[in-house]
């Protein structure tokens, strides 16, 4: 049986609480988990736990192979939301996931250890896979509602494939990182030089 997630300790200040449970933080965590869970072979439980700790989970997480498998299945579904090229497509995907894969909307404070915040999983001890899918769907839904555009996209670099959020200000992003953008610009420059080279020289 999968371990049930039970978050025993959280940061003690309101600022830490609000930051950790913000829509942006949850959506960023969703993207990071989708990447580690769908980036190739099934990751180890420790690799997934490392991402969870980076986004505020504490104590011994106790992830099992079965938990990781369930989270990987959820990540594949969430990747469809990030792949949406139009807001209507993102909304359609979320509308399919919300009634089929999540529970009723409720507020929880985890017994007073966190600020009141919404959950869509069945209860505070829901399995990791259910929690991951439900919390991610909720955050991505709010982003679609607030910005009226897809919440993210897949990196345009053929050698990458990571998902990332596109909710920041500035010009539209096509790459998940400066590293990918630079690599593709260099590759395009080299292709251009090769194409323009005189074949007789």
């Amino acid at each position: 049986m999968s371990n049930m997630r039970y978050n025993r300790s959280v940061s003690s200040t309101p600022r830490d609480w609000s930051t950790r449970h913000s829509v942006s933080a949850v959506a960023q965590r969703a993207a990071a988990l989708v990447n580690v869970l769908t980036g190739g072979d099934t990751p180890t439980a420790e690799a997934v736990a490392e991402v969870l700790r980076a986004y505020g989970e504490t104590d011994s997480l106790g992830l099992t192979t079965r938990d990781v498998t369930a989270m990987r299945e959820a990540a594949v579904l969430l990747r469809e939301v990030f792949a949406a090229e139009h807001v209507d497509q993102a909304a359609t995907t979320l509308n399919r996931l919300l009634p089929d894969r999540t529970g009723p909307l409720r507020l929880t404070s985890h017994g007073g250890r966190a600020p009141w915040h919404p959950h869509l999983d069945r209860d505070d001890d829901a399995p990791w896979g259910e929690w991951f899918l439900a919390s991610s769907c909720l955050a991505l839904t709010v982003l679609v509602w607030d910005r009226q555009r897809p919440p993210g996209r897949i990196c345009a670099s053929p050698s990458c494939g990571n998902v990332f959020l596109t909710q920041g200000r500035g010009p539209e992003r096509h790459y998940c990182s400066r590293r990918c953008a630079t690599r593709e610009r260099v590759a395009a420059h080299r292709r251009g030089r090769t194409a323009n080279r005189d074949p007789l020289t």
Side-chain angles (χ1 to χ4, degrees):
M1 182 176 179
S2 301
N3 281 344
M4 309 301 275
R5 63 174 307 277
Y6 182 65
N7 195 11
R8 294 187 295 278
S9 64
V10 295
S11 301
S12 58
T13 68
R15 176 174 291 183
D16 290 339
W17 282 354
S18 62
T19 298
R20 181 179 174 220
H21 292 282
S22 70
V23 170
S24 176
V26 175
Q28 291 282 1
R29 182 186 66 202
L33 285 170
V34 167
N35 288 336
V36 75
L37 287 161
T38 64
D41 295 334
T42 301
T44 64
E46 182 54 34
V48 177
E50 184 176 344
V51 176
L52 289 169
R53 293 190 190 101
Y55 285 89
E57 294 296 328
T58 56
D59 294 324
S60 176
L61 302 180
L63 287 173
T64 66
T65 301
R66 186 172 181 178
D67 292 325
V68 172
T69 298
M71 293 179 74
R72 183 177 170 89
E73 292 172 356
V76 170
L77 297 174
L78 291 168
R79 191 175 178 86
E80 295 181 39
V81 182
F82 285 96
E85 296 184 358
H86 190 274
V87 64
D88 291 353
Q89 185 181 356
T92 297
T93 303
L94 286 165
N95 279 340
R96 185 182 74 246
L97 293 175
L98 286 166
D100 292 344
R101 302 283 182 156
T102 67
L105 182 65
R106 62 189 176 84
L107 288 167
T108 181
S109 67
H110 299 288
R113 293 179 297 277
W116 286 102
H117 59 283
H119 266 233
L120 281 175
D121 46 7
R122 289 174 295 175
D123 55 53
D124 289 353
D125 291 339
W128 283 103
E130 180 183 334
W131 164 81
F132 169 43
L133 183 58
S135 62
S136 300
C137 281
L138 180 58
L140 296 174
T141 295
V142 173
L143 290 181
V144 169
W145 171 28
D146 184 50
R147 302 298 179 90
Q148 295 297 303
R149 63 183 183 183
R153 66 188 312 160
I154 296 176
C155 183
S157 173
S159 62
C160 179
N162 279 347
V163 304
F164 63 96
L165 295 182
T166 56
Q167 300 298 315
R169 296 179 180 179
E172 183 179 10
R173 290 174 55 195
H174 297 279
Y175 301 98
C176 68
S177 65
R178 290 183 179 179
R179 181 179 180 180
C180 280
T182 299
R183 182 175 62 246
E184 292 307 313
R185 281 198 299 268
V186 170
H189 178 69
R190 289 173 176 169
R191 288 194 298 270
R193 290 182 60 184
T194 301
N196 292 330
R197 186 178 301 160
D198 185 343
L200 298 180
T201 61

